[in-house]
Amino acid sequence: MDELAAKISHLMRRAGFSCSPDELQQRVAKGLDTTLSELLHYEDGPDYVGPPPPPPPEVDYYKEDSIKYYWLKRMVKSPRPLQEKMVLFWHGHFATANFKVRSFDAMWRQNRFFRAHAVDDFRDLLLGVSRDPAMLVWLDSVANTKKAPNENYGREIMELFSLGLGNYTEADIKAAARAFSGWQVKDYVGWVDVRQHDFSTKTFLGVSGRLNGDDVVDIIVKQPACARFLSRKLLRFFATQNPSDDWVERIATVYFNSERSVRAMVEAIFRSPDFYTPGVMRSLYKSPVEYVASVLRESALDPPDYLYPNYVRTITLMGQSLLNPPTVKGWDGNSSWVNTSTLLARINFAKEIAALKVGPLKTDTLVATLTAAGVTDADGVLNYFVNQFGAPSLAPETRDVLLKYLNSSSGGVTGPFRMTKLSADVKVRNLIRLLLSAPEYQLH
Amino acid sequence: MKTTRRDLLQKTFAFAAAGAAWPLVAPRAVLAQAAAQGAAPKTRRLVIVQLSGGNDGLNTVIPFKDARYPQYRPTLGINSANLYTLGSTNVGVQRGMTGFRDLFTAGKLAVVQGVGYPNPNRSHFESTDIWETADTQLNKYVGWAGKLLDQIHDQQGGLAQGVAVSDELPVTLYSERSFAQTIDDPANYQIKADTDKDRLLAAYRDLYTVRPAESDDLKYIRDTGSQTYTGTIAFQNAIRTYQPMANYPGNLGDRMQSIARMIVGGSPTQVYNTTLGGFDTHSNQAGGHYGLLQNLSDALTAFYTDLQGHNRHEDVTVVTFSEFGRRVMENGSRGTDHGAASVLFVLGGMVKGGLYGNYPSLSDLQDGDLKFNVDFRSVYATLVQDWMGADATTLLGADFPRLGFFG
């Protein structure tokens, strides 16, 4: 893979959910700039058209699944991958879990809100989420009244959503709680119950007045700490676990220069030369949903719809229950995604994928494609599928293990790998499986 | 914050029967420290059986001598001819529960009466959450057994693990630092292979045992892969050698046998959870409830007998719970509605059998429900501190008196 292809391939893994070799080739022909601008200005292009999930009128576990697999399908099929990647980011950032909210309607509204405002002004996101029914329930705003302030939201909006520890005082939390008092849910929408709202004067982050929740959001988004906090979080999600202070400052500057445009911030990340350095590329662990979505995008398998609920359950076995992050902190991510149980779930998911005889993985199609590509030996097979699955740079020792497997005799086939229907059905499928289980494939 | 390789290793664990992964995850210093703190033996196991739907405590452990009982239960009441008295007490169990009767006589079954919590919540969801998190305020979504796993993890260096033998992971096992998983069938805990199996598994072994010059993250994933490979193979070998020493009836029986298979087979999993559903008996309760209680008694007695046959019964304690009891007065559909305080069972080779707590008075009801006199967190405190050797006060966030059912 040449340098430009490697860069675009990296960009597609981080800004989206990876892509097939065919898509990569088209994007390389257009170049990095055009690819970037298509990713960023996705509203200029087509949207995913598919059957929406059934409207969830009431609590029903089946409905939760239906939202999850519709969302997963979007991650796999949407021509706007950055939009879906941002929805995933916001779901982890404003982590809300249905185990407490207990309304799929509310969760689905929140998911659509993240999609509609995926790269907008951060103020819109912070204000919108403060009025979001699922969030109002999740962090107890509905219990926050003038007489009995509940500080849950007042604390988390600063600690986890915008400023980070050390940038506010306990008095600020109390003031924020009072400013948000009376923010309630009625008929699935947020509204302000004026009887429960504290109209008195408050002092929040040095500003005094008869502040309400809107004012709190406005004061927060003006803080340099907010710009840094969001910049660091975006960098950790899209680029590297340990972004330099300098890189954080550069993105924070973009925040202020662009009226807090998230689109401008992620664009600056993707345009940073640092983004394409060896320390950044292949340095992040794929989350379960990224792992599954990228296998499906790279392979261009397009499995039948009825398999998506299975994939959602498998993602849970891999340690990520969509719409149910473990706490308001979201998922710890990175190395915590990999332990013996979750890795086993990936290994066995890879089996399901490799065994699927649809599209390019129908045995006859597989033989025809490999033959047309001039593949005759084990090396050729391995190179073909390494390229298919995002070209992870395999250690020589990993390559040797995979080649040894391909060249080992089995069943009626003896000696080194030869392209037959039987070897395609057995050896090639198992090779795909091993490749998707390889340590190198778990990073992106 | 830079993650060290040691941190990474401590985040992982493996099913390993013969300690294949043990030296990797439990450095000597950690073991010595755990021993110095007087930690419970690592062979101890806790099995939690959830009776979902809200079990009718009044018809489970029956105060048949109380004259008010038949008045409250005109059609559902069990008269003395249709029950077994537990030892020389004033309570009895339905005739289907011969196993529990015998375990009680043998002094291995503790019955905790009048269990509940203040301001009882009658919603299935919310009361289940309260029992599962041991937090009546529901401040944090971490299960009480999950918190126990976290403590064991911190103490022993990373091997703590929980298994739910059910379709989905119960909140009881949600944890912050350790890992719990669902295993519908222990046979599924393996690298599945259909075609070219031996060569494929050999390739998996090699894939994770080669040691290229690579980043710490890749080394960590490769090490985890190696533990997954050896752990699953050892686990499958271990459970293959298991021979049941009892007959397990019914669906709960299958699940209890899966747990016995793991324990006898040598799995290091310390906390297990499984579920028996169907206790939401709003109408025509009698026959169904009888069957559920019989299934419960038979399955748990078979489990005890099996463990005894393998000489592991003194390593295992079983506790049952349900989100609430039911109303004292039966309803108009020969059933019972959501109530409050109820009973639960604790059984095992080290359990000191008998009655704990007092039977709530049938003449002093609260909103038509029994009043609790044992906070359910006292049951947890006893299990956490006296059985698993962890710190109950930290876990529960307050001191709850322990009940002494381990003597």
Side-chain angles (χ1 to χ4, degrees):
Chain A
M1 200 176 270
D2 69 17
E3 202 188 317
L4 178 62
K7 277 185 173 179
I8 294 179
S9 174
H10 167 63
L11 176 66
M12 294 309 294
R13 282 190 297 277
R14 296 293 181 81
F17 299 89
S18 199
C19 66
S20 68
D22 285 350
E23 183 181 341
L24 181 62
Q25 206 176 5
Q26 290 162 20
R27 292 196 178 279
V28 169
K30 291 183 203 168
L32 186 59
D33 259 3
T34 308
T35 296
L36 250 177
S37 114
E38 283 178 3
L39 285 170
L40 290 161
H41 300 278
Y42 49 77
E43 66 279 5
D44 298 340
D47 194 2
Y48 168 73
V49 183
E58 57 198 27
V59 173
D60 178 342
Y61 280 99
Y62 168 76
K63 295 291 180 354
E64 180 182 66
D65 276 354
S66 77
I67 297 170
K68 290 179 190 178
Y69 68 73
Y70 175 75
W71 185 16
L72 177 64
K73 245 187 323 192
R74 284 196 70 99
M75 292 187 230
V76 175
K77 298 185 174 192
S78 172
R80 304 173 165 188
L82 178 64
Q83 186 183 28
E84 292 310 314
K85 197 66 174 260
M86 287 305 309
V87 176
L88 183 62
F89 173 82
W90 295 123
H91 179 47
H93 181 77
F94 295 118
T96 306
N98 196 38
F99 58 67
K100 179 166 171 184
V101 176
R102 292 198 194 288
S103 164
F104 305 115
D105 183 274
M107 294 305 292
W108 180 229
R109 279 165 193 256
Q110 190 188 69
N111 189 276
R112 283 178 297 175
F113 168 77
F114 291 152
R115 189 166 294 105
H117 297 277
V119 291
D120 286 357
D121 181 347
F122 182 63
R123 179 186 174 277
D124 296 348
L125 279 144
L126 195 60
L127 187 59
V129 95
S130 301
R131 295 170 171 177
D132 173 67
M135 182 61 77
L136 289 164
V137 173
W138 170 240
L139 291 182
D140 302 312
S141 293
V142 290
N144 182 17
T145 59
K146 180 166 62 180
K147 277 198 180 137
N150 184 304
E151 297 174 4
N152 202 3
Y153 191 69
R155 177 182 302 277
E156 303 303 6
I157 189 179
M158 291 189 281
E159 179 179 338
L160 296 172
F161 299 164
S162 65
L163 298 175
L165 280 171
N167 294 301
Y168 53 87
T169 64
E170 289 294 313
D172 292 322
I173 293 171
K174 288 194 167 66
R178 286 165 58 210
F180 282 113
S181 60
W183 286 37
Q184 292 284 336
V185 182
K186 191 177 179 183
D187 297 333
Y188 288 114
V189 291
W191 71 296
V192 181
D193 181 347
V194 290
R195 291 161 307 171
Q196 298 296 347
H197 181 69
D198 181 345
F199 284 96
S200 64
T201 301
K202 308 142 190 108
T203 301
F204 176 71
L205 292 173
V207 181
S208 295
R210 287 165 58 145
L211 307 174
N212 62 25
D214 292 30
D215 300 321
V216 164
V217 168
D218 281 331
I219 295 165
I220 285 176
V221 298
K222 289 197 184 96
Q223 308 291 314
C226 179
R228 285 192 202 105
F229 183 81
L230 181 63
S231 299
R232 187 176 299 276
K233 193 118 186 219
L234 286 167
L235 281 165
R236 284 170 60 92
F237 184 79
F238 284 107
T240 168
Q241 269 291 284
N242 301 297
S244 65
D245 290 345
D246 171 59
W247 202 358
V248 172
E249 285 307 320
R250 275 184 280 148
I251 305 303
T253 304
V254 174
Y255 173 95
F256 283 119
N257 290 344
S258 68
E259 299 208 344
R260 307 163 301 265
S261 160
V262 174
R263 194 193 317 258
M265 293 171 83
V266 294
E267 175 167 13
I269 293 173
F270 299 144
R271 288 196 188 277
S272 308
D274 319 47
F275 184 68
Y276 302 94
T277 53
V280 169
M281 291 164 86
R282 303 276 178 197
S283 68
L284 296 179
Y285 289 70
K286 292 175 187 169
S287 66
V289 72
E290 288 169 333
Y291 176 82
V292 168
S294 47
V295 166
L296 294 174
R297 276 204 185 244
E298 288 162 359
S299 63
L301 260 180
D302 198 14
D305 277 1
Y306 68 81
L307 287 175
Y308 275 83
N310 292 353
Y311 298 151
V312 166
R313 279 193 286 277
T314 304
I315 289 167
T316 307
L317 280 180
M318 294 175 188
Q320 188 173 32
S321 180
L322 290 175
L323 305 186
N324 276 311
T327 70
V328 64
K329 280 194 306 194
W331 290 284
D332 287 345
N334 258 299
S335 64
S336 72
W337 288 128
V338 172
N339 62 46
T340 54
S341 292
T342 57
L343 188 59
L344 182 64
R346 292 187 184 208
I347 290 169
N348 286 332
F349 167 75
K351 172 186 188 289
E352 298 304 318
I353 290 298
L356 211 56
K357 294 182 180 174
V358 301
L361 282 186
K362 282 184 191 144
T363 308
D364 289 338
T365 313
L366 195 55
V367 175
T369 314
L370 288 170
T371 307
V375 170
T376 53
D377 59 1
D379 235 27
V381 174
L382 181 55
N383 291 341
Y384 182 89
F385 285 105
V386 166
N387 187 55
Q388 181 84 48
F389 289 105
S393 53
L394 301 183
E397 290 85 347
T398 300
R399 279 191 72 89
D400 288 347
V401 170
L402 301 183
L403 291 174
K404 184 179 152 201
Y405 173 72
L406 278 173
N407 282 323
S408 64
S409 54
S410 77
V413 186
T414 56
F417 180 87
R418 280 179 292 126
M419 181 53 72
T420 66
K421 203 171 162 178
L422 181 64
S423 63
D425 220 17
V426 176
K427 292 292 185 186
V428 171
R429 289 186 196 281
N430 281 341
L431 171 84
I432 291 171
R433 192 184 164 182
L434 286 163
L435 185 60
L436 301 182
S437 311
E440 292 91 333
Y441 189 73
Q442 312 313 314
L443 302 181
H444 71 167
Chain B
M1 189 180 61
K2 181 104 176 85
T3 308
T4 65
R5 194 162 140 68
R6 163 83 178 279
D7 289 339
L8 292 175
L9 284 174
Q10 294 207 347
K11 278 186 200 143
T12 196
F13 61 84
F15 267 118
W22 186 251
L24 266 176
V25 293
R28 264 173 214 287
V30 175
L31 287 177
Q33 191 192 3
Q37 287 167 347
K42 277 195 261 301
T43 51
R44 287 202 175 160
R45 303 290 178 258
L46 176 64
V47 181
I48 301 160
V49 179
Q50 177 177 359
L51 311 179
S52 67
N55 179 33
D56 182 16
L58 197 60
N59 269 18
T60 302
V61 173
I62 303 154
F64 63 94
K65 290 184 179 167
D66 190 319
R68 283 168 299 254
Y69 171 70
Q71 294 164 12
Y72 280 121
R73 296 294 172 93
T75 73
L76 294 177
I78 312 290
N79 66 41
S80 54
N82 287 325
L83 51 73
Y84 294 122
T85 306
L86 288 180
S88 53
T89 69
N90 291 326
V91 292
V93 293
Q94 299 201 33
R95 287 271 166 157
M97 301 184 89
T98 52
F100 271 22
R101 175 200 62 187
D102 296 344
L103 282 172
F104 190 88
T105 307
K108 299 300 171 197
L109 178 73
V111 176
V112 185
Q113 311 177 111
V115 196
Y117 57 88
N119 305 315
N121 189 314
R122 290 173 188 78
S123 146
H124 287 295
F125 287 132
E126 288 176 23
S127 195
T128 302
D129 284 347
I130 287 168
W131 275 85
E132 292 189 307
T133 58
D135 177 359
T136 53
Q137 303 301 311
L138 291 178
N139 285 320
K140 207 170 179 187
Y141 230 65
V142 180
W144 73 273
K147 290 179 200 162
L148 172 62
L149 289 172
D150 285 341
Q151 279 199 18
I152 295 171
H153 163 96
D154 295 345
Q155 215 175 39
Q156 298 181 358
L159 205 63
Q161 49 183 288
V163 160
V165 181
S166 52
D167 304 327
E168 60 179 26
L169 195 65
V171 174
T172 304
L173 286 173
Y174 284 15
S175 69
E176 292 185 288
R177 296 185 293 286
S178 41
F179 199 79
Q181 63 179 330
T182 58
I183 293 184
D184 50 348
D185 179 348
N188 285 339
Y189 193 74
Q190 61 175 314
I191 296 175
K192 293 176 188 166
D194 300 331
T195 56
D196 206 15
K197 185 174 179 177
D198 293 346
R199 288 184 192 82
L200 177 65
L201 288 179
Y204 265 111
R205 181 196 60 212
D206 295 347
L207 180 63
Y208 296 135
T209 46
V210 293
R211 286 291 174 270
E214 59 190 357
S215 71
D216 276 357
D217 286 319
L218 287 171
K219 280 191 170 69
Y220 164 69
I221 300 169
R222 226 176 272 274
D223 284 345
T224 307
S226 186
Q227 290 175 35
T228 306
Y229 176 83
T230 52
T232 49
I233 300 272
F235 182 77
Q236 291 302 324
N237 286 340
I239 64 171
R240 253 196 302 278
T241 61
Y242 157 85
Q243 294 289 334
M245 308 280 276
N247 287 321
Y248 285 89
N251 181 270
L252 181 64
D254 291 344
R255 292 177 163 193
M256 293 309 295
Q257 188 171 5
S258 287
I259 295 172
R261 186 184 281 278
M262 286 183 260
I263 291 173
V264 173
S267 162
T269 297
Q270 282 150 304
V271 179
Y272 298 86
N273 189 295
T274 193
T275 302
L276 178 63
F279 286 90
D280 197 17
T281 48
H282 285 283
S283 62
N284 299 319
Q285 169 177 316
H289 192 233
Y290 181 95
L292 287 169
L293 293 174
Q294 183 172 37
N295 191 200
L296 176 69
S297 167
D298 286 352
L300 265 48
T301 306
F303 181 70
Y304 183 82
T305 309
D306 191 13
L307 292 174
Q308 202 171 25
H310 290 97
N311 198 28
R312 291 297 304 274
H313 57 300
E314 293 189 342
D315 291 332
V316 182
T317 295
V318 183
V319 62
T320 71
F321 81 93
S322 193
E323 64 264 41
F324 40 63
R326 308 193 75 83
R327 288 225 182 275
V328 175
M329 184 69 207
E330 68 177 62
N331 63 24
S333 323
R334 299 181 183 234
T336 51
D337 297 321
H338 300 182
S342 188
V343 294
L344 61 74
F345 299 103
V346 183
L347 68 101
M350 296 298 279
V351 168
K352 190 176 133 204
L355 300 181
Y356 294 83
N358 300 315
Y359 211 100
S361 164
L362 294 187
S363 56
D364 180 22
L365 305 180
Q366 184 172 30
D367 304 329
D369 288 326
L370 298 176
K371 284 184 180 170
F372 83 102
N373 63 78
V374 176
D375 192 293
F376 72 112
R377 288 162 291 191
S378 277
V379 177
Y380 293 171
T382 316
L383 294 165
V384 164
Q385 190 101 29
D386 297 345
W387 181 244
M388 298 304 284
D391 180 355
T393 310
T394 307
L395 192 150
L396 298 166
D399 254 322
F400 289 91
R402 305 207 294 278
L403 300 175
F405 47 69
F406 293 108

